[in-house]
Amino acid sequence: MRLSIMARALCVGFALSGGLTQPQSQAEDAIAFLETYCVDCHNADDAGGEREFDALDLSSTDHDTQIIVQEIIDQLTLGDMPPEDAEQPTRGERLAAIDSLTASLQQLRNQSSSTGGQTVLRRLTRREYLATVSDLFQMDMSMFDPSDRFPRDNTVEHLDNVGDALVTSGHLLEQYLDAADAIVEKALANRTQPDEKSWHFDDHFRQQPELDGAHRAAFNFRYLCLYDSPLADRPEGAYGPLEEFAEGVPSDGVYEIRVLAQALHRDTPYSEADLKIDLSEKFRLGIRPGNAKAGSLHTMQPIQPLLAERTIDDGEPRWYTMEVPLDRGFTPRFTFENGLREVRPLHTRLHRKYADLLPEHARGGQGIVRARNAMLRYGQVPQIRIHEVVIRGPIFRQWPSATLASVLPGGRFQPDDARELTAAFARRAYRRPLKPGELDRLMSVYQTRLRHGRDPFGAFKDTLKTALCSPAFLYLHPDCPADSDQLSQHALAARLSYFLTGSMPDAILREAADSQQLDREALIEHTRRLLADTKSDAMIAGFTDAWLNLRALGEMPPDRDQFWRYYASNLQPDMKQETRRFLRHLIDENASIVRWLDADYSFINRDLAKLYGVVDQVPAEGADVFRKVVFGDRRRGGLLGQASVLTVSANGIETSPVVRGVWMLENVLGTPPPPPPDDVPAIDPDVRGATSVRDLLEKHRTSAACNECHRKIDPLGFALECFDPIGEVRTRYENKAAIDTSGKLPSGQAFAGVEELKTLLVQRQAFFARAFTEKLFAYALGRRIEWSDRATIDAILERLAKNEYPTRELIEQIVISDLFSRR
């Protein structure tokens, strides 16, 4: 029995039209294979497994067809079909059929998710929403998140801004209403300048209940003592709140905080192995906000950014002064940023192990209470001790504040100005001139609220809330003039701004759009201007999260016992920062994107320097500052030596050459392998005699079908096995087995480790350049990259190839491309 004539014709025609990347002969081979080995059992008369292949339309993009094609691939890969009593294909025929059907399936998936090369109307992502609110109201958002109840944005290939994936639900609409209310009320809470006040604390420093008894006995609550790092699993002395100031500051603003503090017992006789702290480093005092309404002030809270940090000297107490923003109701909490991993179970261990260093009456006995009392009164537990705290503020160097002036330029509201003020606000919020009728509709809300008894200022606030719930604010509209697919000037300005800053266009860009001046030269000028601004850090963060999946960093946290330094030094944000600083450097210097592959340097702080074994290159003073460091070890430098990607491609406990190899194919070479069959385990269960990860994978590759993918995946992953799950260099696994980082690419080129692999990757820099450019294009456009975009991307890469793809020029070429200015 044969496939239907229509199915054959459509399949071949689809391949010829460019819908599939494989040539016509491959499509015909797949058809011939199904006819020869499958259709006799899977047909309308005898539908084995309830699958009818004689009517299968391989050009159909419907979901059922894709499921069937995937099932065929899975069964062929497993070797379960054709059944053993049926005619068997040769190994070559089976592999060819798998390749052909996999390519077909990928194209069917691409076609089914295609937007026809157009960017669809899309809403703001959560991060764009927050940034836009911040810019619209000139508001500090570090302690204010009106989107905390928004559903998580869907991602496509790790991109969070793909339009057709950003659904809007009834729940989200409700949250927009609540968020608008919170935003406007916060922005306009103070129309008169708050009085500056001072608060002084020098006694009665109560902390968490577990410490009360020990602190009363040791010094009668005279000091605020910090022991644990802020990321301790069961914190005890990780957060030092001012319990007498639990109600927090009375209004939003900047506050001066003076602290009389000292570092104690950095010369402790207790071993670092027991303490899990790096005593060679000066202690670092941090300030993190706390809100009593959000929960206990002595434990971790949902919103607690690091507002300030100071290195504390040993010896006598000294005054340290910091200025920090604080929102109404928030109180400062003091932290030991590089403190102990977990002091709670440490008391009994130290009490027992170092009893001879204690007064005789403090020795012996059992229980954590006795041990804690003895160690905190007579022991030498490393700590930061705070003697006094003085708070002054809010400090305003201008009035009205920037937030108030963003809505009321003069700081005052007059009912006669309501229409003019609403129009000015809506023009900025909508990122374009108002359309006919829009202002009238907003003012009808104002009038309705007045009729219902609302006072004029309350009605005005309700009108602003209405604007924040308008689709004109919440959505990015790819507006085009009539009979054109070219974006309007204001839509183009919005696309440029959300690409490069993750937020609304600034006044300069809006003015250019108002004047219809965004031509090719102007786009380059504004691109350079925005890239030179720190606001483009948002693009760097958003793009690296999408390209390298750094958004997932922390979803599989490293083991707390084995990788305690990860928590003690709070390495997760540092890891992200290194990758972001590297991209910032490439943009600022207009350096080649190939530096991702072959650089012998990176940008790290002292904590990362310790992880990388180059602590001597980063001074202790200013330990949190990121500096350029050149590595003598060629395993470091560039992308493949960065802890961020090495951690996100591990599972927190161990590493997998397969996972890291797939990560390399996807993100470095842009040639992702097909997904494994659903029924194939990650490692074949028959691994008797295997003694290492390499042996396990060798056995896994005994299946010819598995070998086709794994010979491309595994060598890349093996090269990175010299790095543990948090990116530290190692030579042996936990079981003491030696690590072999050698490999051979499918081309036959061999390498001894990641250093030599980097050289081979540089030779394939065109693949990396395409993968990087396609992802950057997708991020810029907010849609998937499709086959019809290939010509534009090819032309850009060809122009930039001779200079190895300078980073800033690549971004400029994207901005002035026909794809960027089209709907």
Side-chain angles (χ1 to χ4, degrees):
M1 186 173 294
R2 299 175 64 81
L3 286 173
S4 68
I5 295 175
M6 178 174 290
R8 288 174 58 82
L10 286 173
C11 185
V12 174
F14 194 48
L16 288 172
S17 69
L20 300 176
T21 57
Q22 76 238 56
Q24 176 185 355
S25 60
Q26 273 191 299
E28 290 180 329
D29 287 345
I31 296 167
F33 183 92
L34 294 176
E35 289 178 342
T36 302
Y37 298 107
C38 305
V39 173
D40 282 348
C41 293
H42 298 278
N43 59 68
D45 298 327
D46 182 15
E50 299 183 354
R51 292 291 184 265
E52 301 176 17
F53 294 169
D54 57 334
L56 181 63
D57 182 356
L58 294 181
S59 69
S60 173
T61 59
D62 69 82
H63 191 59
D64 287 343
T65 299
Q66 295 181 37
I67 291 175
I68 292 172
V69 174
Q70 182 64 67
E71 287 178 347
I72 295 173
I73 294 170
D74 291 351
Q75 293 301 310
L76 290 175
T77 303
L78 288 166
D80 290 349
M81 289 292 169
E84 60 182 359
D85 58 350
E87 181 182 357
Q88 295 295 313
T90 66
R91 176 179 180 275
E93 287 176 321
R94 184 185 295 272
L95 295 178
I98 291 172
D99 285 345
S100 180
L101 289 166
T102 299
S104 297
L105 179 60
Q106 184 60 51
Q107 291 301 321
L108 292 177
R109 288 171 174 165
N110 290 344
Q111 289 293 113
S112 64
S113 62
S114 172
T115 59
Q118 293 189 343
T119 299
V120 300
L121 173 74
R122 75 167 180 89
R123 66 168 172 80
L124 299 177
T125 66
R126 181 176 172 180
R127 60 180 174 82
E128 290 170 338
Y129 179 92
L130 290 173
T132 303
V133 168
S134 177
D135 286 343
L136 182 61
F137 289 93
Q138 294 297 293
M139 184 186 296
D140 180 273
M141 307 286 285
S142 57
M143 280 150 278
F144 176 54
D145 184 1
S147 72
D148 61 345
R149 296 179 63 189
F150 287 12
R152 185 173 181 175
D153 293 328
N154 294 328
T155 59
V156 175
E157 297 174 358
H158 309 313
L159 291 158
D160 66 347
N161 64 340
V162 174
D164 59 292
L166 290 171
V167 298
T168 301
S169 62
H171 172 71
L172 179 57
L173 292 175
E174 292 178 0
Q175 299 313 310
Y176 282 146
L177 294 172
D178 291 344
D181 182 69
I183 292 164
V184 173
E185 293 299 331
K186 179 178 176 62
L188 300 179
N190 291 319
R191 284 187 286 159
T192 58
Q193 183 172 351
D195 293 333
E196 185 178 300
K197 298 180 179 180
S198 293
W199 299 266
H200 185 200
F201 307 92
D202 62 358
D203 203 348
H204 307 296
F205 288 112
R206 304 293 293 271
Q207 291 180 246
Q208 64 197 80
E210 294 90 338
L211 292 173
D212 267 3
H215 281 188
R216 179 187 292 109
F219 41 76
N220 196 27
F221 306 122
R222 175 67 184 80
Y223 311 111
L224 193 63
C225 297
L226 310 174
Y227 308 106
D228 279 334
S229 82
L231 295 181
D233 192 26
R234 294 177 295 170
E236 187 171 294
Y239 299 91
L242 300 170
E243 291 291 352
E244 292 186 344
F245 197 53
E247 73 278 7
V249 297
S251 60
D252 296 359
V254 173
Y255 289 80
E256 178 191 80
I257 299 180
R258 300 179 64 236
V259 183
L260 182 63
Q262 65 182 141
L264 283 180
H265 306 315
R266 200 157 66 90
D267 57 352
T268 179
Y270 313 145
S271 74
E272 288 190 4
D274 288 323
L275 297 173
K276 297 293 195 302
I277 187 175
D278 188 344
L279 294 171
S280 68
E281 294 295 314
K282 286 190 173 182
F283 295 166
R284 303 203 297 266
L285 173 70
I287 297 179
R288 295 179 182 268
N291 188 331
K293 294 180 180 179
S296 170
L297 291 175
H298 62 258
T299 58
M300 187 179 296
Q301 294 195 345
I303 298 178
Q304 53 170 48
L306 180 61
L307 302 177
E309 181 179 304
R310 289 291 184 274
T311 300
I312 305 300
D313 290 333
D314 304 326
E316 294 300 311
R318 283 186 49 198
W319 283 100
Y320 299 87
T321 302
M322 294 158 273
E323 284 193 0
V324 300
L326 285 171
D327 281 4
R328 181 177 180 270
F330 279 83
T331 182
R333 298 186 299 161
F334 302 96
T335 55
F336 187 173
E337 287 298 312
N338 56 340
L340 301 167
R341 193 198 70 168
E342 193 171 31
V343 74
R344 185 181 298 236
L346 190 61
H347 296 302
T348 52
R349 187 183 316 131
L350 297 179
H351 186 242
R352 181 180 63 254
K353 187 174 180 178
Y354 297 95
D356 58 324
L357 299 180
L358 297 171
E360 188 171 346
H361 71 272
R363 303 173 190 174
Q366 294 184 346
I368 189 173
V369 173
R370 176 170 175 77
R372 182 191 291 118
N373 288 345
M375 294 310 301
L376 295 188
R377 184 170 188 177
Y378 302 109
Q380 299 180 58
V381 178
Q383 60 190 267
I384 293 177
R385 180 171 290 184
I386 295 174
H387 297 245
E388 293 184 54
V389 178
V390 179
I391 302 173
R392 179 175 67 90
I395 301 168
F396 289 100
R397 294 181 172 87
Q398 66 175 42
W399 191 263
S401 66
T403 297
L404 181 62
S406 70
V407 180
L408 303 175
R412 297 181 179 181
F413 173 76
Q414 298 294 335
D416 291 344
D417 297 335
R419 185 177 182 89
E420 181 181 345
L421 291 171
T422 299
F425 177 82
R427 282 194 296 270
R428 291 191 302 115
Y430 296 174
R431 304 171 288 273
R432 56 166 173 75
L434 299 183
K435 295 179 180 179
E438 285 184 325
L439 180 57
D440 290 338
R441 287 193 290 274
L442 288 172
M443 293 310 298
S444 70
V445 173
Y446 179 76
Q447 296 297 333
T448 298
R449 299 301 289 151
L450 289 177
R451 287 196 299 271
H452 284 80
R454 191 86 151 119
D455 67 273
F457 186 62
F460 174 66
K461 290 194 292 185
D462 290 343
T463 305
L464 300 184
K465 297 171 188 176
T466 301
L468 292 181
C469 294
S470 166
F473 172 74
L474 296 172
Y475 281 78
L476 292 175
H477 295 252
D479 292 331
C480 297
D483 303 321
S484 173
D485 66 350
Q486 297 296 300
L487 292 178
S488 69
Q489 288 277 288
H490 291 93
L492 184 58
R495 177 172 288 178
L496 179 65
S497 185
Y498 279 95
F499 170 34
L500 296 182
T501 72
S503 185
M504 59 186 283
D506 62 12
I508 299 174
L509 190 53
R510 289 199 306 272
E511 182 179 349
D514 290 342
S515 304
Q516 302 292 302
Q517 294 177 349
L518 288 180
D519 56 16
R520 180 188 178 95
E521 289 72 23
L523 283 172
I524 292 179
E525 178 184 339
H526 284 287
T527 297
R528 292 175 179 173
R529 179 179 66 83
L530 292 175
L531 287 177
D533 194 302
T534 55
K535 285 180 65 66
S536 63
D537 288 344
M539 181 273 286
I540 291 173
F543 175 65
T544 51
D545 277 355
W547 170 39
L548 304 171
N549 194 27
L550 297 191
R551 188 179 293 107
L553 193 62
E555 290 183 1
M556 290 188 288
D559 179 80
R560 283 185 172 269
D561 290 325
Q562 186 178 0
F563 303 108
W564 62 269
R565 289 183 184 275
Y566 178 86
Y567 299 95
S569 300
N570 194 14
L571 287 178
Q572 180 176 313
D574 293 344
M575 290 176 176
K576 281 194 173 188
Q577 193 63 234
E578 176 189 8
T579 304
R580 294 170 182 174
R581 292 294 180 103
F582 195 90
L583 179 53
R584 165 59 68 192
H585 156 74
L586 296 183
I587 292 172
D588 290 348
E589 300 296 324
N590 195 27
S592 165
I593 64 172
V594 180
R595 297 295 85 78
W596 285 108
L597 303 178
D598 66 0
D600 61 354
Y601 60 86
S602 191
F603 298 84
I604 59 176
N605 64 1
R606 189 167 172 86
D607 285 334
L608 284 175
K610 285 187 286 185
L611 182 72
Y612 294 169
V614 291
V615 69
D616 59 313
Q617 296 195 50
V618 179
E621 293 299 326
D624 58 330
V625 176
F626 281 74
R627 297 172 169 85
K628 182 177 181 179
V629 170
V630 178
F631 300 104
D633 184 347
R634 289 290 294 161
R635 289 173 294 190
R636 293 292 181 194
L639 185 63
L640 301 187
Q642 293 182 2
S644 60
V645 302
L646 296 167
T647 302
V648 82
S649 60
N651 67 7
I653 300 174
E654 58 192 3
T655 61
S656 166
V658 177
V659 174
R660 281 179 168 171
V662 169
W663 185 92
M664 289 268 287
L665 288 174
E666 289 179 344
N667 300 292
V668 177
L669 294 174
T671 56
D678 294 335
D679 298 328
V680 174
I683 300 294
D684 191 284
D686 182 19
V687 294
R688 290 169 293 181
T691 58
S692 69
V693 174
R694 186 178 289 266
D695 290 335
L696 294 174
L697 291 171
E698 285 292 341
K699 289 185 175 293
H700 187 64
R701 289 198 299 270
T702 56
S703 164
C706 292
N707 184 59
E708 279 299 300
C709 287
H710 280 274
R711 69 190 184 95
K712 303 172 185 176
I713 297 171
D714 297 351
L716 301 174
F718 285 138
L720 299 181
E721 283 295 277
C722 61
F723 300 110
D724 72 10
I726 63 170
E728 191 167 16
V729 170
R730 63 183 177 183
T731 58
R732 294 185 177 275
Y733 293 110
E734 285 296 303
N735 64 2
K736 307 303 181 184
I739 294 174
D740 182 358
T741 59
S742 64
K744 181 184 291 186
L745 300 180
S747 63
Q749 293 172 294
F751 56 85
V754 67
E755 312 96 300
E756 294 182 6
L757 176 60
K758 289 180 181 180
T759 301
L760 298 179
L761 291 175
V762 170
Q763 296 173 11
R764 291 163 169 75
Q765 61 183 258
F767 286 89
F768 174 74
R770 176 172 300 284
F772 184 88
T773 303
E774 287 184 352
K775 184 66 77 171
L776 192 55
F777 248 120
Y779 181 82
L781 300 177
R783 67 169 174 83
R784 301 167 180 83
I785 297 303
E786 303 188 358
W787 66 269
S788 58
D789 304 323
R790 182 72 178 250
T792 297
I793 295 174
D794 283 346
I796 290 175
L797 293 174
E798 184 177 352
R799 284 195 293 272
L800 300 180
K802 64 180 179 180
N803 292 324
E804 292 191 331
Y805 319 102
T807 306
R808 192 185 67 238
E809 289 180 43
L810 175 58
I811 295 173
E812 293 169 4
Q813 289 294 312
I814 289 174
V815 169
I816 63 174
S817 70
D818 60 324
L819 297 181
F820 193 83
S821 61
R822 287 205 317 251
R823 185 199 301 269

